[in-house]
Amino acid sequence: MSNRPMLEIVALEKRFGSTQVLRDIHLKVPQGELVFVIGPSGSGKSTMLRCCNRLEEPSGGDILIDGRNIMAGTTRDLNRMRLQVGMVFQGFHLYPHMTVLRNITLAQRKALKRSDEEAKARAMDMLEQVGLAHKAEAYPGELSGGQQQRVAIARALALDPKVMLFDEPTSALDPELVGSVLTVMKGLKAKGMTMLVVSHEMGFARETADRVIFMDGGVVVEEGTPDEIFGAPKVERTRAFLSRVAR
């Protein structure tokens, strides 16, 4: 694992009108690292994630992907950089009238200008990676929630991102379907994918994360290894949060 930041957040600020939801956020995610973000609802976790590809426009600060500042340059530069940041949401956002295969090939053909053959080959490779190659011709409505989320992950991976952002990827799933999605994410980490994950899956964080970030009130309160954050948090606010979610 390299120490070079693949994703770097510098002095990030975000305001909605007079309400400031992010304050002076600094975070580096080295290549191949999985950083897990925890915190109460309304702490700014998802907003921070969405600022990382400017789905939310930052009010201040910089976002660097592989050393390049996505806050600088033209709209074309931004669109090019966005292709390097895969994002998986709580909802699956699949086109219901398209097969799984077409859902995954569409963006490749439009954004990367891949041929039908190239896009299909890449899609099938990614479906194989998430264990769903046999569902290529199925429609989203024929899949379970866990399967749809794995298709969404495959779609993001097919664009060859340098960083993957996960915003509560399992929160809309029935408990028995969560494990299949987490297994895919573990596999991505094993392959060296750089990941920033917002989730309440504390067991997954303990087992898989390289670092854990605790946010509250729009700031990073504390960060450390899973053992440090879950085993011996230094800040009272972190201890209070973890004592509640562990019940």
Side-chain angles (χ1 to χ4, degrees), residues 72-111:
T74 65
T75 299
R76 179 177 294 182
D77 293 331
L78 173 61
N79 290 336
R80 191 180 304 118
M81 292 300 295
R82 276 180 170 154
L83 292 174
Q84 299 178 13
V85 185
M87 189 153 190
V88 177
F89 300 90
Q90 176 178 333
F92 318 124
H93 302 299
L94 302 176
Y95 292 108
H97 62 288
M98 293 184 182
T99 65
V100 163
L101 187 62
R102 284 196 66 202
N103 265 281
I104 300 176
T105 59
L106 180 64
Q108 296 183 69
R109 289 187 285 108
K110 289 189 175 296

Side-chain angles (χ1 to χ4, degrees), residues 7 10 48 113 115 159 172 174 212:
L7 168 63
V10 183
M48 179 185 74
K113 308 303 181 185
S115 68
L159 296 173
D174 292 334
V212 177

Side-chain angles (χ1 to χ4, degrees), residues 222 226-235 239:
E222 185 170 2
D227 284 346
E228 289 169 341
I229 297 299
F230 293 113
K234 298 176 182 177
V235 179
R239 290 194 291 270

Side-chain angles (χ1 to χ4, degrees), residues 139-169:
Y139 287 86
E142 300 172 324
L143 306 179
S144 70
Q147 289 173 327
Q148 290 186 61
Q149 191 62 291
R150 285 149 63 193
V151 171
I153 293 172
R155 179 179 57 186
L157 292 174
L159 296 173
D160 304 322
K162 294 182 177 180
V163 179
M164 285 286 286
L165 309 176
F166 292 87
D167 188 10
E168 300 283 7

Side-chain angles (χ1 to χ4, degrees), residues 10-75:
V10 183
L12 178 64
E13 306 272 341
K14 177 61 182 177
R15 289 179 294 276
F16 293 105
S18 61
T19 303
Q20 188 160 10
V21 294
L22 294 175
R23 296 176 177 84
D24 196 30
I25 301 290
H26 292 261
L27 178 63
K28 292 182 181 181
V29 185
Q31 184 176 6
E33 190 167 276
L34 192 163
V35 174
F36 206 93
V37 185
I38 63 174
S41 297
S43 59
K45 308 183 300 298
S46 292
T47 300
M48 179 185 74
L49 216 62
R50 292 170 66 87
C51 283
C52 288
N53 62 0
R54 289 177 65 184
L55 285 176
E56 290 286 0
E57 191 65 22
S59 303
D62 294 299
I63 306 287
L64 289 82
I65 305 295
D66 198 16
R68 295 188 61 187
N69 191 349
I70 70 169
M71 299 301 295
T74 65
T75 299

